[in-house]
Structures are given as C-alpha cells and as structure tokens.
Amino acid sequence: MDGQLWVLLVPLFFIGALFGSFFNVVGIRVPRGQSVVHPRSSCGSCHQTLGPVDLIPIFGWLLRKGKCHYCGTPISGVYMLGELAGGVLFAALPLLFPDHLEELWIAYPLVSVLLILTVSDLKYMLLPNKIIYPAMLLFTLLRLLNHPLPLWHYALGFVLGGGILISVSLIATWMGKPAMGFGDIRLMALIGLVIGVKLVLLCVFLSALLGSVIGLALIGSGKLSRSTPIPYGPFIAVGSLVSYCYGDPLVSWYLDLITL
C-alpha cells in the first residue's frame, strides 16, 4: 500500500468520528421531522445546551464519564459507539479497497446511510423513508457511473433483496407471526442496488443469522421476551458491510467447502 495512504488514516478517523456525531443527530431528529442544524444539541433530561467539550466526538463522552456535565444524568453509550463506528469505518475503507479506490465513492455514502439508519432503528424502531428514498436515488446515479459488474446485477439485486424479505413477511403473516417491517424491506432492496444480486443473497443470510443468534442470546439471558420485537435494521447494516467488504472471498470459501 502507498505510504501516503497510511498518513491519511488518523485524519480519516477523526473526520469519521465527526461525521458519526452528525449521523447520530440525523438519525434522532429526522424521524421526528426536526431540523438537523437547529437547535443546538442539548441534554435530553435537563435540556441544557451542550458545551464544546461535550461535543468532542468520543472523548467528550469519556471525559464526562458518560454523564451530563450539568445534571449528572447518564448518557447512552450508543452515541459514543456511533462516533467510534464512524471513525473506524472511515479510516478502514481505503484499506479494504486498496486496488479499487474509485469504489470509495460508493463505500463512504453507504457507510453514512447505514450509520444514520442504525441510530434511527435503535432509537425508534423506524427506518425513515426520508433517508431511504433519497439514498436509492443517490446510489442509482453512483452505480450508473461506477459499476464493476453489469448493471443488471445491481437491478436484480434491488428486486431480489426486497423480494426475499417481502416473501418472508408474507409467510410470517400467513403463519400468524409478526411481519417484516416495510423499512427493512426497502433497506434490503437498497443494499441489493449497491452490492448486486450475489452479495445481497449473502447479506440476507448473514443478517438473518446474526439476528437469530443475538435474539436467542437476549432471550436466553432473560433480557428479552419472545414477544418483544427487536430492530432488524442494525443486523442488515452489519450483514451488508460484511458482504460488501468480504463477500467475494466468503462466497468462494463456501463454494470450495461444499465442493469438497
């Protein structure tokens, strides 16, 4: 790898952490129909406007020991984790695509959208159309400009990604079980548009596996009942990133395994 790329990693981490902080705001305010720039961020308990130290990504939360500086109310670590995820992902993406840096025009917007939607789903169990529909338009344009695979791979990924979850939702309804949310269906269709038909199939499998394992672990620990719904968007986000970054070697490994 070019030595100059390593020099960029630290700035990229801090830029990603700053964006992660902004994505927290977007994910919390957009579902409420609020502006993402006004008013300034404040404590959810005492409503005191946060100071400069409080707004430092990651370190502000650590310096305040996860509590509001003014009223002492604990502040969820999810905010800090969102900033940390933004920093790590922004710095890691050039390392994951060292020979295809043009793909970063896709990767950075994808990470940004997934972080925003993850925050929204964790907070409200909602994947807002105000984020997903513009993202669909954006990635359609980006894939028209940059498509390592034939365009039909991405078009079929869009149809199949959403179609699989629609089928799952219909089957669940027929069996009298909770149906898949339309936000999850739209998100998987969006992922298929970005990563294509082969990798969206892997994403469907990985997100279902991850959701099942974590769901069963929470039920087994008594932290969740069988009837309690859990947000599925974060599992789709993780499954899509793993598929996008490591999907081809994973698929090759699996094919080699079954042929043996």
Side-chain angles (χ1 to χ4, degrees):
M1 183 185 300
D2 193 300
Q4 293 181 346
L5 191 57
W6 284 102
V7 177
L8 292 175
L9 295 185
V10 173
L12 281 174
F13 176 85
F14 286 107
I15 291 171
L18 284 170
F19 272 101
S21 180
F22 176 67
F23 297 152
N24 283 335
V25 174
V26 176
I28 291 171
R29 293 192 181 186
V30 166
R32 294 178 176 174
Q34 298 175 330
S35 168
V36 298
V37 296
H38 182 79
R40 291 174 56 190
S41 297
S42 60
C43 173
S45 297
C46 66
H47 306 293
Q48 176 70 40
T49 300
L50 300 182
V53 174
D54 303 303
L55 296 175
I56 299 174
I58 303 172
F59 299 105
W61 188 90
L62 294 174
L63 288 171
R64 301 302 193 195
K65 298 181 180 179
K67 296 180 180 180
C68 174
H69 176 62
Y70 305 97
C71 67
T73 301
I75 300 173
S76 173
V78 171
Y79 299 108
M80 189 270 290
L81 291 176
E83 296 165 352
L84 181 61
V88 170
L89 289 171
F90 269 52
L93 287 176
L95 303 178
L96 295 172
F97 300 97
D99 300 322
H100 303 281
L101 293 180
E102 69 281 358
E103 188 65 21
L104 296 179
W105 289 100
I106 306 291
Y108 279 113
L110 177 61
V111 164
S112 302
V113 169
L114 291 177
L115 286 174
I116 291 170
L117 292 175
T118 295
V119 171
S120 176
D121 210 19
L122 289 173
K123 181 74 173 179
Y124 307 109
M125 291 196 64
L126 177 66
L127 299 171
N129 292 333
K130 291 179 180 180
I131 301 297
I132 292 180
Y133 286 153
M136 286 181 176
L137 176 60
L138 172 64
F139 286 113
T140 298
L141 296 175
L142 290 174
R143 273 305 180 212
L144 287 173
L145 296 172
N146 178 27
H147 50 93
L149 300 172
L151 287 173
W152 68 265
H153 280 261
Y154 304 104
L156 185 57
F158 176 84
V159 174
L160 195 58
I164 290 174
L165 293 199
I166 288 176
S167 300
V168 171
S169 182
L170 291 174
I171 292 172
T173 302
W174 177 70
M175 297 177 64
K177 296 183 178 181
M180 183 74 66
F182 281 103
D184 299 320
I185 294 170
R186 296 186 187 101
L187 176 55
M188 191 64 80
L190 171 64
I191 297 304
L193 175 65
V194 177
I195 66 178
V197 61
K198 178 178 71 173
L199 296 184
V200 79
L201 293 175
L202 177 62
C203 176
V204 170
F205 169 76
L206 291 177
S207 59
L209 176 64
L210 185 61
S212 299
V213 169
I214 293 181
L216 289 173
L218 290 173
I219 292 172
S221 65
K223 296 181 179 179
L224 192 73
S225 69
R226 292 183 178 274
S227 60
T228 303
I230 58 175
Y232 192 55
F235 302 125
I236 297 178
V238 173
S240 65
L241 288 177
V242 173
S243 301
Y244 181 48
C245 298
Y246 301 104
D248 287 325
L250 281 175
V251 171
S252 298
W253 169 80
Y254 177 72
L255 293 176
D256 291 341
L257 185 65
I258 62 175
T259 53
L260 292 177

